[in-house]
Amino acid sequence: MATAPRFWRENPSRYNLVGFKCNNCGNHYFPPRIICPLCRRKSVGKIEPVRLKGTGTIFSFTEVHEGMDEQNMQRPYIVAMVELDEGARITGQVIDCDARDLSIGTEVRATLRKLSEEGSSGVIHYGYKFIPLCNGPAASENE
Amino acid sequence: MRRVAVIGTGITEFGELWDSSFRKLGIGAGLAAVEDAKISAEQIDAMYVGNMSAGRFIRQEHVGALIADYSGLVKDHVPATRVEAAGASGGLALRQGFLAVASGLHDIVVVGGAEKMTDVSDTESSMIQSSAADQEWETELGATFAGLHALIATRHMHEHGTTREQLADVAVKNHKHGSLNPKAQFRREINRDVVLRSPIVASPLRMFDCAPSSDGAAAVVLCPLENAEKYAEVPVEIVGSGQASDSLALHNRKDICTMSATRVASDRAFAMAGLSQDDVDVAEVHDNFTISEVLAVEDLGFFAKGEGGKATEDGRTSLEGDVAINTSGGLKARGDPIGATGVAQAVEIVTQLRGTAEKRQVKDADVGLAQNVGGTGATAVVHLFRRA
């Protein structure tokens, strides 16, 4: 079982989709990095943390039926690679929909949900998941 | 740089080997390779061991020393090094051995690979395999290792029109080849229906699209080519070795239908060898999932991008095809004890080039290739072999 800090230190990105923009090449990335993988040393001092909007389209997706303890309660669940409007790609679950209603290109938006919990009394991990835009904006969602 | 030859091979049975421990498997393969090369322990200068995750599979790290110890090599304090690059651990261990002999530092090197996967549950095994991907930004968000390959498959079908049936044909072919390999984990032929009716793992991939969890080990012995005839009737030269890296997470790659690391490693190996794809008679590629073989035969340059599925369907990758792919049965049917796989691929290619592959022998095989992949393509290792 992992210790709490391992998850806690990634919370800004997990909760608020904080990525970064490289002000040398202008590209957006997620999650944050120390240097831009393309500009390398030229990007030092030019990395700007950016909160990504969380809207984008499905680049590819799958319905997972086997293989993970932490998600076992939710199986099957959908995992997608989402291309965010800023250009960065991100991997996460797609919820509140049926896999049959999804296709490559489906518009989605990010929302905050429970990712997993460690046993019945352990730490609960929260993070982003995605909802198809056609489900409509849910006013009760805390984004 | 010295030219390097393979002078001995050894391999255990692959499968769910309840009565075999990690050390028993490793030593079994090593002894067989040393016996095949007709060398004595005193001649061994160094050993490299490919292993992905003994720490999680059997709670044992430091397995380089462990195998050296149980092989009787600590009497002479032979240096033993464990090499890890997830699924590419074995291929990378082979490359380390190749570099050590080519450089002139060592004369006789044993390269082994071993994994003992079935001491943990299937779910645990699957989670360990997923750690080859980006644990913090893929796996913990729900992406299993099969799930990531399913993302590749969905996209490949979308961009290139690859069909579900063509993916099944990869498994059907590799099971057919496996039925001709007495060391294979699965030696039974299957048909398309078996694949298409098997349970979904991560859509569109089903159980028969996935390589199994396996126990097993493989080993080869290397020496300078100029000395090879002393030890082997038919020495096989390693004529090219290439390695490349890519982003750990799949989502950081522009084109997920191409494994750029495979392309680059393959270009580097072919350039070193002065050979082209047309020269290759037989290849072992990293079919941990059926879609992976489709990508591999494209990215290695045997078929154009998008044509891998069709080429498989048309039989062009079978034993009698343009280039025989995975004559051992591949990861799918021979089995995939992760750290052993890259070395097992080398054992199969050497067996083919020696002309001793019996029922699965490719006629007049002269040049062979092995492609070993770590993660979803963050590491790729490609070796080219030629009958000396």
Side-chain angles (χ1 to χ4, degrees), chain B residues 179-382:
Chain B
S179 74
L180 306 172
N181 178 2
K183 292 279 172 76
Q185 181 164 357
F186 299 129
R187 296 187 288 264
R188 218 179 264 177
E189 287 195 51
I190 56 167
N191 58 31
R192 266 186 184 180
D193 275 356
V194 170
V195 184
L196 299 177
R197 285 179 191 165
S198 63
I200 295 175
V201 175
S203 65
L205 301 179
R206 292 170 179 270
M207 195 176 80
F208 272 83
D209 289 295
C210 311
S213 286
S214 318
D215 306 326
V220 295
V221 182
L222 309 180
C223 85
L225 179 67
E226 60 198 31
N227 303 339
E229 277 185 4
K230 276 198 281 185
Y231 306 106
E233 266 172 54
V234 187
V236 169
E237 184 181 358
I238 299 178
V239 288
S241 175
Q243 180 191 346
S245 311
D246 204 342
S247 68
L248 188 64
L250 186 64
H251 56 229
N252 285 325
R253 298 183 214 147
K254 225 174 193 94
D255 175 10
I256 66 168
C257 296
T258 297
M259 283 192 191
S260 301
T262 293
R263 270 205 176 166
V264 173
S266 151
D267 287 349
R268 287 171 180 166
F270 275 111
M272 185 188 285
L275 293 171
S276 78
Q277 281 76 0
D278 290 341
D279 297 314
V280 176
D281 303 299
V282 53
E284 289 285 293
V285 307
H286 200 89
D287 61 318
N288 52 351
F289 298 92
T290 50
I291 184 64
S292 311
E293 180 168 319
V294 171
L295 261 66
V297 298
E298 296 169 352
D299 298 337
L300 290 165
F302 294 126
F303 302 99
K305 184 47 65 183
E307 298 292 318
K310 180 76 167 52
T312 307
E313 183 176 23
D314 293 346
R316 297 176 66 189
T317 59
S318 70
L319 268 182
E320 305 79 22
D322 308 8
V323 52
I325 302 285
N326 283 332
T327 55
S328 68
L331 280 61
K332 176 70 196 80
R334 180 201 54 225
D336 181 22
I338 308 174
T341 288
V343 184
Q345 291 178 323
V347 169
E348 176 66 11
I349 295 298
V350 171
T351 306
Q352 286 284 353
L353 300 184
R354 284 172 170 179
T356 54
E358 299 181 342
K359 285 181 188 163
R360 61 184 195 285
Q361 180 64 47
V362 174
K363 210 167 157 262
D364 302 323
D366 181 48
V367 173
L369 176 150
Q371 176 238 18
N372 196 199
V373 173
T376 53
T379 299
V381 189
V382 174

Side-chain angles (χ1 to χ4, degrees), chain A:
Chain A
M1 198 169 285
T3 58
R6 171 171 178 155
F7 294 89
W8 165 80
R9 64 178 174 247
E10 309 301 348
N11 281 350
S13 291
R14 288 262 169 81
Y15 292 180
N16 294 319
L17 282 182
V18 175
F20 77 90
K21 183 183 177 192
C22 170
N23 283 318
N24 191 56
C25 66
N27 287 327
H28 286 83
Y29 295 91
F30 182 88
R33 293 187 184 218
I34 307 297
I35 59 167
C36 169
L38 292 182
C39 303
R40 302 185 272 212
R41 209 154 58 101
K42 288 182 198 142
S43 67
V44 173
K46 294 177 183 168
I47 299 290
E48 179 191 346
V50 168
R51 184 171 172 173
L52 301 164
K53 282 186 297 175
T55 48
T57 55
I58 290 182
F59 185 76
S60 191
F61 68 103
T62 176
E63 188 173 61
V64 176
H65 289 243
E66 297 279 344
M68 198 95 74
D69 268 346
E70 280 147 22
Q71 274 83 12
N72 271 357
M73 296 298 284
Q74 310 156 23
R75 288 189 311 179
Y77 58 90
I78 301 163
V79 169
M81 188 183 292
V82 173
E83 188 157 282
L84 297 172
D85 292 342
E86 293 89 347
R89 286 206 204 119
I90 181 169
T91 301
Q93 289 187 43
V94 184
I95 52 168
D96 296 350
C97 66
D98 194 299
R100 280 169 299 193
D101 301 328
L102 296 180
S103 56
I104 286 173
T106 298
E107 293 182 296
V108 294
R109 65 184 175 84
T111 182
L112 185 73
R113 293 293 171 99
K114 183 169 88 177
L115 290 179
S116 58
E117 53 191 302
E118 295 180 353
S120 54
S121 57
V123 179
I124 298 174
H125 304 299
Y126 292 90
Y128 49 83
K129 293 187 181 181
F130 293 90
I131 301 178
L133 267 190
C134 57
N135 287 14
S140 62
E141 299 264 357
N142 176 21
E143 287 188 282

Side-chain angles (χ1 to χ4, degrees), chain B residues 3-141:
Chain B
R3 295 168 71 174
V4 180
V6 181
I7 53 168
T9 67
I11 191 163
T12 65
E13 194 186 349
F14 282 13
E16 295 184 39
L17 311 175
W18 307 114
D19 56 352
S20 291
S21 64
F22 177 84
R23 52 190 90 184
K24 184 179 167 191
L25 290 166
I27 288 130
L31 282 179
V34 164
E35 195 165 310
D36 185 38
K38 299 181 226 38
I39 57 167
S40 60
E42 295 77 39
Q43 292 174 277
I44 298 171
D45 293 319
M47 186 171 74
Y48 294 88
V49 180
N51 172 260
M52 173 181 171
S53 198
R56 289 183 71 188
F57 282 121
I58 58 166
R59 300 187 177 207
Q60 175 70 60
E61 306 289 12
H62 211 173
V63 296
L66 169 70
I67 299 294
D69 180 9
Y70 274 70
S71 306
L73 295 178
V74 295
K75 191 175 147 201
D76 300 317
H77 305 290
V78 171
T81 307
R82 171 186 175 174
V83 180
E84 191 274 316
S89 300
L92 206 50
L94 177 63
R95 185 169 152 85
Q96 300 313 306
F98 168 81
L99 294 174
V101 176
S103 73
L105 191 65
H106 294 310
D107 283 329
I108 300 230
V109 168
V110 177
V111 175
E115 207 80 55
K116 173 74 194 173
M117 298 173 72
T118 66
D119 278 354
V120 298
S121 71
D122 286 349
T123 301
E124 182 67 15
S125 174
S126 157
M127 288 171 67
I128 295 168
Q129 290 175 63
S130 293
S131 69
D134 190 328
Q135 192 70 17
E136 289 190 357
W137 303 105
E138 292 181 313
T139 314
E140 280 166 12
L141 281 310

